[in-house]
Amino acid sequence: MYPEYMVDYEITPSQLSSLISSPEREQVVLLDVREPAEYAVARIDGSILMPMGDVPGRANQELDPETRIVAICHHGVRSMNVAVWLRNQGFEQAQSLRGGIDAWSALVDPTVARY
């Protein structure tokens, strides 16, 4: 079921923190679009690794277009590209984490490594 409004293309680290701390957490997919080596260094617990280059071949098989998806990368550029691509494929609730994992570490969870 789609929300009555279109979600923004970006979500801030604090908004994401609130979202994944809420009962809605079960309905959110954290899609990490970085490379495996980056994911090994720093990640948000519960995120799914799907490198940006793999998204076109995997998204329609592995992701539900009705689910809220938050794409995550290092600084928010790759994840924005993925969010836009997903929206163009009908994933209307796809978003990008503004500032990426780096902003998440700086603003929300300092236990996540910065690189």
Side-chain angles (χ1 to χ4, degrees), residues 66-79:
E66 295 190 19
T67 300
R68 188 162 182 182
I69 298 167
V70 178
I72 302 161
C73 68
H74 191 191
H75 288 114
V77 177
R78 286 175 282 177
S79 58

Side-chain angles (χ1 to χ4, degrees), residues 69-91:
I69 298 167
V70 178
I72 302 161
C73 68
H74 191 191
H75 288 114
V77 177
R78 286 175 282 177
S79 58
M80 178 57 86
N81 286 326
V82 169
V84 169
W85 186 87
L86 286 169
R87 291 245 184 143
N88 288 335
Q89 302 304 308
F91 293 81

Side-chain angles (χ1 to χ4, degrees), residues 19-99:
L19 180 64
I20 64 175
S21 298
S22 76
E24 292 178 43
R25 170 64 183 104
E26 298 300 318
Q27 301 165 353
V28 178
V29 172
L30 302 178
L31 186 69
D32 198 312
V33 299
R34 297 172 300 145
E35 294 302 311
E38 293 175 284
Y39 185 79
V41 171
R43 66 182 164 273
I44 299 173
D45 286 339
S47 61
I48 298 167
L49 177 64
M50 187 181 295
M52 182 178 177
D54 294 351
V55 171
R58 293 174 57 187
N60 288 309
Q61 287 74 38
E62 298 179 35
L63 301 173
D64 180 349
E66 295 190 19
T67 300
R68 188 162 182 182
I69 298 167
V70 178
I72 302 161
C73 68
H74 191 191
H75 288 114
V77 177
R78 286 175 282 177
S79 58
M80 178 57 86
N81 286 326
V82 169
V84 169
W85 186 87
L86 286 169
R87 291 245 184 143
N88 288 335
Q89 302 304 308
F91 293 81
E92 294 184 15
Q93 297 184 74
Q95 294 181 283
S96 172
L97 176 60
R98 182 179 294 148

